[in-house]
Amino acid sequence: MVIKMNKSVYLDTTIPSYYYEERLETTAFAEITRKWWDTQRFDFDIFVSDYTIAELNQGEYPNKEKILDLVSETLKFEASDEMDEIAGIYIDQFIMPRGHPGDAYHLACASVMKIDYLLTWNCNHLANVNKERHILIMNTKLGLHVPRICTPLQLFNEED
């Protein structure tokens, strides 16, 4: 008997946001996001956190209700004091920028919850090869899991 264990994916806010994105300059990201969501997500356990929901609830923008509805299909975990503390360390140690604390919280969630992949279109602060070593060193010092941070384009299954 073979037991299939799904890999886990944590979504930051860029993934559900791009699913319904309509701006012309982001068309490619939106198309890739929709294709990944519609064809690949079933191979994973998909998670969001209170931080993801809070960010999505902030501000006024098109398709907000559809975006919130999209993430309602996912598994959720609550923010914790440990995640808040870890996010603070990422910011204090310049792993994540002070001006974008949400990035630190997403990384803390994925690390604390031992998520396999943190899926994002944020290539400045998260899915950035220049950050990988810093995150590896910090999470190792903290005794934390190191999630693989990638874009939907990098998380497609091979096709025959």
Side-chain angles (χ1 to χ4, degrees):
M1 177 164 89
V2 175
I3 298 175
K4 185 176 183 239
M5 301 279 295
N6 285 341
K7 295 276 188 176
S8 54
V9 173
Y10 174 88
L11 306 178
D12 82 345
T13 56
T14 62
I15 302 305
S17 294
Y18 272 108
Y19 188 90
Y20 287 107
E21 183 57 61
E22 297 173 346
R23 291 176 294 173
L24 187 57
E25 66 271 17
T26 59
T27 301
F29 286 173
E31 288 176 7
I32 293 165
T33 301
R34 285 190 288 272
K35 183 176 179 184
W36 184 88
W37 185 264
D38 294 341
T39 66
Q40 304 294 303
R41 81 170 191 274
F42 307 104
D43 294 331
F44 302 95
D45 293 327
I46 308 294
F47 293 87
V48 295
S49 70
D50 288 345
Y51 302 113
T52 311
I53 303 300
E55 280 187 18
L56 291 172
N57 273 308
Q58 292 173 354
E60 295 300 320
Y61 49 89
N63 299 312
K64 183 177 184 174
E65 293 306 316
K66 288 180 181 178
I67 292 167
L68 289 167
D69 189 50
L70 187 72
V71 297
S72 72
E73 301 174 20
T74 65
L75 301 167
K76 294 174 189 60
F77 48 82
E78 294 180 9
S80 70
D81 291 341
E82 179 184 15
M83 291 173 195
D84 290 342
E85 182 181 331
I86 299 300
I89 291 170
Y90 291 150
I91 292 168
D92 290 344
Q93 297 298 311
F94 304 103
I95 304 297
M96 291 291 132
R98 289 190 187 285
H100 300 276
D103 301 336
Y105 286 103
H106 295 305
L107 178 57
C109 288
S111 299
V112 169
M113 298 304 292
K114 298 182 172 115
I115 299 294
D116 295 303
Y117 301 100
L118 191 169
L119 199 61
T120 182
W121 279 113
N122 181 340
C123 296
N124 287 325
H125 307 134
L126 290 170
N128 181 327
V129 295
N130 296 308
K131 292 279 190 175
E132 284 179 9
R133 182 166 168 74
H134 300 288
I135 293 167
L136 174 65
I137 290 169
M138 183 55 61
N139 278 19
T140 301
K141 283 182 181 179
L142 296 170
L144 291 172
H145 168 77
V146 181
R148 175 72 197 266
I149 305 171
C150 59
T151 68
L153 189 58
Q154 297 169 292
L155 200 55
F156 277 90
N157 288 321
E158 283 187 62
E159 295 181 12
D160 293 330

